[in-house]
Amino acid sequence: MVKISGVVITFNEESNIARCLDSLLEVTDEIVVIDSYSKDRTKEICLSRGVRFIEHPFRSHIDQKNFGLTQAAYPYVLSLDADEYLSDELKQSILEIKETWPAEAYRMNRLSSYGNRWIMHGSWYPDRKIRLWNRSVGFWGGENPHDRVLIKSGTRIKHLDGNILHRAYRDSNSALEKIQRYSGIFAFESAGREKSSVAKIMVHSLWAFLQGYVVKRGFLDGFEGLMVAVAEANHVFYKYAKLYEANLHSRLGKRIIISRTDNIGDVILTLPLVGFIKSRRPDAEIYFVGKSYTQSVISHCQHIHGFLDRQELLSNPEKLKRVNADSILFVYPDRQLAQLAKWAGVPNRVATGHRWHSWLYCNYRVGFSRVSSKLHESLLNFKLLTPFKIYWDLDLKEVASLYGLSAASHGHSEWLRPDRFNIILHPKSKGSAREWNLDNYYQLAKLLPASEYHVFITGLKEEGEVIRLQKPELFELEHVTDMTGKLTLDQLMSFIVQADGLVACSTGVLHLAAALGKFALGLYSPMRPIHPGRWMPIGPLASYLVIDRNCSDCRHSKECHCVNEITPQEVGGRIEHFAKTTIAQRHA
């Protein structure tokens, strides 16, 4: 007589495991339970029946069951799931073949239940399974979670009378729960290896229902037969729908290029897209293409693997090819780079469909217009994930947590006043925004008492010269320090981190301060598309001021009456409100 090892894998199976083990005790010579650290009474129930109970981390159904085979003491194994047990007839069949062992593997029918009814028709029965075999001729394989025993070619297989009884679904809730769990496992395991499509989803789902309910006469099992046929169709629908999404997700790849070749503010508002991709794909390597002067900002983003200088790529195209990218997202349209990406063989090239060159060089074109969009710029960038069916539903507070930007907080301490609120005013924007005029900045500085505030004026050297020419008295105030032309971009980042806050119009330095988590107050025109709804600073301490008016008078002019209607008193009030809290904390 041969000896048989019973093998069962478990996780939180207190409602099923006793029935399973009791049926095995009558036909096996040992029982091995492989448990993935159950939190319920599974272990207690198993030990009360004298089984060998082994805890082992769960990677997949197939891995766990094959591990169980290695723990069996005997070469002949009988494997059940925890929600299965042996019918009396099947137990008798097993006891009989133990005497002679006429084959090396044995197949048996599985009879499943829905509620309290055994389903005798449809796709569920007879559901033949090999569950008893000589370990030397077979092992677990197939696809998770629908594993099966793979037997060597030429092995004699015998069918046994009786059923494995399978308590499948208690009701519709348990059916839906299992459908969602198993379809998710299938999609995860099959992504990139098996194809899916809208047609496949529809045809296979419909056929699953017709086959189970009509062709295999599931209707003979009454209401329960209908529920089973619908559940089967549901499972097929969701496994291929999830696989379709998973395949599109995976198409984005692990080596991704983000191209944003315009200005600092635009680059900073693109960083949340990088952070979001990294949160969804932690193993991704993300490269950023930008202008050379933006490198010092991009290099401080923890989510970015490497910087690619636009001009260098155009001069040396092989450099782009060597990245071996899976995808490139053109956040800012760039005809030359798009042409280069196609030449370099980047598989996925994504851009807006509103530029003619996108149709020549990009194989994914997203239909949106930046000029007419109502979305904030940082959220608008996420639309480029549409071809990969990567869904985002973020508010601006969540966006603020995705920058991944930091800077060194040392140096320049000789200028900072620890006993004052150190506020940076950045009056100019290189013409990229409607500016608050210099007289307003002068009046604001005068409003801030020298006993409580120290004011720093930042900007390029040329911008400092303009200020000295047009409003020299700003630099003559005792508590104002001229920093124009004295800081590189990298040094400016460090200085912003050490200061208490910053005031500017809608310019890159404002967004830089907001992304670094500093108090950042933006002064805006209400004109679309440069209004704060599209370009407000995003950060935990960021805010803005704008007059409540629909106006486009300055569309063809750099002078904006609306932004200059914001008074120094309003700006000073915002600063004072924040400063009181900061100074109180500093003295606490």
Side-chain angles (χ1 to χ4, degrees), residues 251 324-328 341 344-349 363-364:
R251 189 181 296 172
N324 195 28
D326 300 300
S327 300
I328 182 167
V346 179
N348 306 304
R349 305 174 302 279
N363 52 350
Y364 293 102

Side-chain angles (χ1 to χ4, degrees), residues 214-229:
V214 179
V215 178
K216 294 187 176 181
R217 300 178 299 164
F219 60 86
L220 294 176
D221 289 310
F223 168 76
E224 289 81 2
L226 173 64
M227 291 299 292
V228 167

